Amino acid sequence: MSVIVYIEHWDNKFKKLSFELITYSVKLADMLGTEAIALSIGNVPEQELQKLGKYGIKRILSVDNESITKFDSQVYSRVISEIAAGESAKAIVLANNNAGKSLAPRISVRLQAAIASGVNQLPESVSPFVVNKRVFSGSALARIHLTSEITVITLSQNSFDLVENPAEPVIESANVSLEQLSSKIEIKDIQKQTGKLLLQDAEVVVSGGRGMKTPDNWAPLVELAELLNGATACSRPVSDEGWRPHEEHTGQTGKIISPNLYIAAGISGATQHLAGISSSKYIVAINTDKDAPIFDAAQYGIVGDASKVLPKLVEAVKVMKSS
Amino acid sequence: MNILVCISNVPDTTTKVKFADNNSRLDVSGIQWVINPWDELSLTRALELKEDASSGVQKVSVAHVGPVTSEPTIRKALAIGADDAYRVNTVGSDAYQVAAQLTEVVKKGSFDVILCGIEFCDYNGSNVGGMLAEFLDYPSVSGISELKISDGSILITREIDGGKEMLLVPAPFVGVVQKGIAKEPRIAAMRGIMQARTKPIHLVEPVAVEPLTDIQSFELPAPRAACKFIDPDHPEQLIELLQNEAKII
């Protein structure tokens, strides 16, 4: 028996999300009375793989096959499923991100394993296997019984605190049968921004809505985000108007994020917006309307014009940083 | 080339959900059911492609797993412009069971592109498309924000961390669609509503598949503590609280 955790890499490097997955899987394996095994696909250097050991993983399987040259969910899900079956996995853990969301359902069908997607906590019990998760766009919680022998879990980013638990992991090279590895998808082009903090990785997010009045008012919002080492986001009307790129749109039909701090500037807090941000640890609302629903979701609020309040916040953060 | 769009009906996105029978099921009284917004956008894009002669798309069908009471949702999709519909006559229980039923629909027709919305706003699954692809052993791509078809080639753009990827995919394939694929969902015109009455809804008998999950109970999250208001003339107090009370900056 085992828990298999798939650890994605970004240009052969791991990030905080990878360590969250390891921490979660080591604890889940404890609950199941078994061991967690990390699975990496690609040629991640041994030195980078070793970093996973800091969070308690003792065994790492590395699949480095020259036939696998790009991400294809059909190919990757075969690799993960075959290795999980070979290790008699009781649970398979993935991130609830683009890659994890495309792999989990395919693995589920291959292994007839129930999925709990977007969980943010350990199961309440493993026999029977019952997990709590947010449903209806975050407006309710459900206790879900996974009735299958094997389970697939996708973990929400920034929802599970890292726990250091140093181990000396054994790294083994693993492989799967070659006929499974041919991809039918051809990559024509990749456009990628490098060096920019991704919205879903940011621990602080400063977000603007229509209450910002015009795109010209964004400079202090961007500056505040930079000062707090955060990322910028926006509400749907703002991205629909083209004031900000649609990658920044957070909400039910945009990105769903859970930063430590979400500052909503000039956002009224429609249900659809809250659905994308309600699992943030702290929400700060700045809005001229004291009855705006965003204040019901927020821990801290300022009733005022966001375009006037933000420059003052920028100054206050500068003072804080210089003291 | 034929496109199949899988549609689910979900509570209107502004619904305040309530539960019944000791919190064991959703209280459906007063709920306005709508087509899952991402499915609606997928359908809109499929229809745009059909209208463009160079795409070679000839037919757009929709598929839905649900009892006869969900037919208004299907009629709405037909009114927007789908040519015909398939309804698997069973109540959808979980993503696995729904995907298994949709597999039967795909086997009955001849579809080159199958589209599913990225996330159901009911149980936040987003799993049906990938499961359907695996049942069929088709390639699948998630997070599609653009779909172009010309001269039989299918070119898609998918969102990746920090950017996007342009991919050429073979037919048949399953696309899991997110925001960006179409600007606004189409609204049915009166002519479309009239035509929808006579468009065929093919009834498909369900296959016996056990779901893999079972929801034991629901609960509403505990309300957050009351918001602490800060004097707008002294926003520095907010920074002070974030630093020393919340300890997050």
Side-chain angles (χ1 to χ4, degrees):
Chain A
M1 215 164 69
S2 66
V3 170
I4 292 281
V5 52
Y6 168 63
I7 305 292
E8 184 183 354
H9 64 86
W10 292 264
D11 299 322
N12 290 328
K13 287 203 163 50
F14 297 129
K15 61 184 182 186
K16 184 166 165 262
L17 170 63
S18 324
F19 307 129
E20 290 167 8
L21 287 163
I22 296 285
T23 304
Y24 183 90
S25 304
V26 168
K27 292 199 172 195
L28 177 62
D30 271 352
M31 286 180 81
L32 287 162
T34 180
E35 285 219 313
I37 304 168
L39 170 60
S40 169
I41 302 177
N43 55 344
V44 180
E46 189 167 326
Q47 197 188 351
E48 189 68 17
L49 290 171
Q50 287 286 354
K51 289 184 186 166
L52 301 175
K54 193 171 167 189
Y55 302 93
I57 200 93
K58 295 189 180 119
R59 196 167 156 223
I60 300 168
L61 300 179
S62 174
V63 176
D64 180 8
N65 188 301
E66 58 190 17
S67 306
I68 305 175
T69 53
K70 56 176 175 274
F71 179 80
D72 178 339
S73 59
Q74 194 173 19
V75 173
Y76 273 51
S77 59
R78 285 173 182 175
V79 173
I80 298 169
S81 302
E82 186 169 316
I83 286 184
E87 296 291 342
S88 315
K90 187 88 173 74
I92 297 142
V93 180
L94 305 110
N96 190 45
N97 62 357
N98 286 332
K101 281 185 198 171
S102 66
L103 293 169
R106 301 201 72 126
I107 295 168
S108 162
V109 169
R110 287 193 88 82
L111 301 176
Q112 285 195 27
I115 302 188
S117 44
V119 304
N120 61 4
Q121 53 189 282
L122 287 163
E124 71 171 53
S125 74
V126 289
S127 180
F129 206 102
V130 179
V131 289
N132 288 272
K133 61 163 287 204
R134 286 166 175 266
V135 291
F136 297 106
S137 304
S139 58
L141 296 166
R143 290 175 64 240
I144 300 180
H145 178 202
L146 309 186
T147 54
S148 50
E149 278 297 304
I150 306 171
T151 54
V152 177
I153 290 173
T154 68
L155 180 68
S156 287
Q157 189 164 358
N158 203 35
S159 65
F160 204 75
D161 290 335
L162 295 181
V163 180
E164 288 192 21
N165 175 17
E168 293 281 327
V170 177
I171 299 170
E172 294 164 37
S173 134
N175 228 326
V176 291
S177 43
L178 273 170
E179 64 265 30
Q180 305 214 344
L181 303 177
S182 71
S183 171
K184 298 179 194 125
I185 292 171
E186 187 186 331
I187 298 180
K188 302 298 276 184
D189 190 21
I190 298 178
Q191 293 171 3
K192 216 170 173 179
Q193 278 186 310
T194 48
K196 191 175 174 239
L197 177 65
L198 299 176
L199 183 51
Q200 58 272 34
D201 289 342
E203 294 186 5
V204 175
V205 172
V206 188
S207 185
R210 222 169 1 195
M212 293 287 288
K213 291 181 210 148
T214 115
D216 302 334
N217 287 335
W218 244 264
L221 188 152
V222 174
E223 192 178 0
L224 183 63
E226 280 168 5
L227 284 167
L228 297 171
N229 299 320
T232 52
C234 69
S235 67
R236 178 170 181 168
V238 165
S239 69
D240 283 353
E241 288 291 331
W243 293 2
R244 301 293 296 174
H246 91 84
E247 296 84 48
E248 285 199 1
H249 165 203
T250 47
Q252 193 174 50
T253 53
K255 288 211 165 64
I256 293 171
I257 54 171
S258 54
N260 293 341
L261 173 60
Y262 184 80
I263 300 177
I267 292 175
S268 62
T271 320
Q272 294 93 328
H273 186 75
L274 295 178
I277 58 125
S278 60
S279 53
S280 305
K281 293 196 178 77
Y282 282 89
I283 296 173
V284 170
I286 307 165
N287 204 294
T288 48
D289 176 8
K290 69 172 174 38
D291 297 320
I294 189 78
F295 288 117
D296 297 332
Q299 284 91 340
Y300 299 110
I302 296 179
V303 179
D305 181 340
S307 62
K308 298 201 171 70
V309 172
L310 285 171
K312 293 183 192 168
L313 287 177
V314 166
E315 289 315 308
V317 174
K318 283 181 178 165
V319 170
M320 171 194 90
K321 289 200 148 188
S322 64
S323 62
Chain B
M1 197 172 272
N2 299 328
I3 303 180
L4 178 70
V5 181
C6 303
I7 58 172
S8 63
N9 63 351
V10 297
D12 181 299
T13 52
T14 57
T15 304
K16 289 240 182 288
V17 295
K18 292 179 304 213
F19 301 103
D21 293 346
N22 213 6
N23 284 339
S24 65
R25 64 170 181 86
L26 180 68
D27 179 356
V28 293
S29 60
I31 285 187
Q32 184 81 28
W33 295 91
V34 298
I35 302 179
N36 178 35
W38 296 271
D39 300 343
E40 205 173 11
L41 289 171
S42 306
L43 175 59
T44 301
R45 183 62 192 146
L47 295 170
E48 287 169 1
L49 286 166
K50 190 188 153 195
E51 285 155 17
D52 172 5
S54 69
S55 75
V57 174
Q58 274 149 6
K59 195 172 160 197
V60 175
S61 306
V62 294
H64 175 75
V65 177
V68 68
T69 49
S70 59
E71 282 207 357
T73 303
I74 299 172
R75 290 282 171 210
K76 191 182 166 199
L78 293 171
I80 292 170
D83 296 302
D84 62 354
Y86 294 81
R87 179 173 69 82
V88 184
N89 190 23
T90 183
V91 176
S93 53
D94 75 350
Y96 185 85
Q97 180 257 8
V98 169
Q101 303 301 344
L102 289 172
T103 304
E104 297 306 307
V105 173
V106 175
K107 285 180 182 164
K108 280 196 188 332
S110 160
F111 305 105
D112 304 285
V113 175
I114 298 154
L115 301 176
C116 296
I118 195 165
E119 199 158 44
F120 291 128
C121 40
D122 43 8
Y123 306 133
N124 279 7
S126 97
N127 292 321
V128 171
M131 288 180 171
L132 176 60
E134 190 61 43
F135 275 122
L136 294 163
D137 200 21
Y138 288 1
S140 61
V141 179
S142 290
I144 297 182
S145 59
E146 262 186 67
L147 169 65
K148 290 179 185 159
I149 303 176
S150 61
D151 299 332
S153 308
I154 306 167
L155 196 63
I156 60 181
T157 302
R158 88 178 168 101
E159 303 293 308
I160 54 172
D161 288 345
K164 46 193 174 182
E165 227 171 40
M166 272 56 80
L167 308 169
L168 190 63
V169 295
F173 95 105
V174 177
V176 184
V177 166
Q178 71 171 40
K179 200 199 169 195
I181 188 135
K183 281 208 168 59
E184 287 281 329
R186 283 198 182 174
I187 295 165
M190 187 47 79
R191 188 158 166 263
I193 295 168
M194 301 299 284
Q195 285 174 339
R197 292 185 186 163
T198 53
K199 286 179 179 172
I201 299 180
H202 313 289
L203 196 64
V204 180
E205 283 311 311
V207 286
V209 180
E210 289 297 314
L212 299 178
T213 58
D214 162 33
I215 295 186
Q216 304 219 307
S217 62
F218 290 102
E219 64 180 286
L220 294 171
R224 293 210 185 211
C227 180
K228 197 179 260 190
F229 284 96
I230 290 118
D231 180 353
D233 293 324
H234 293 281
E236 69 280 0
Q237 290 172 359
L238 170 67
I239 301 303
E240 216 273 326
L241 287 167
L242 292 175
Q243 194 179 15
N244 299 320
E245 189 179 82
K247 297 185 169 47
I248 40 167
I249 60 169

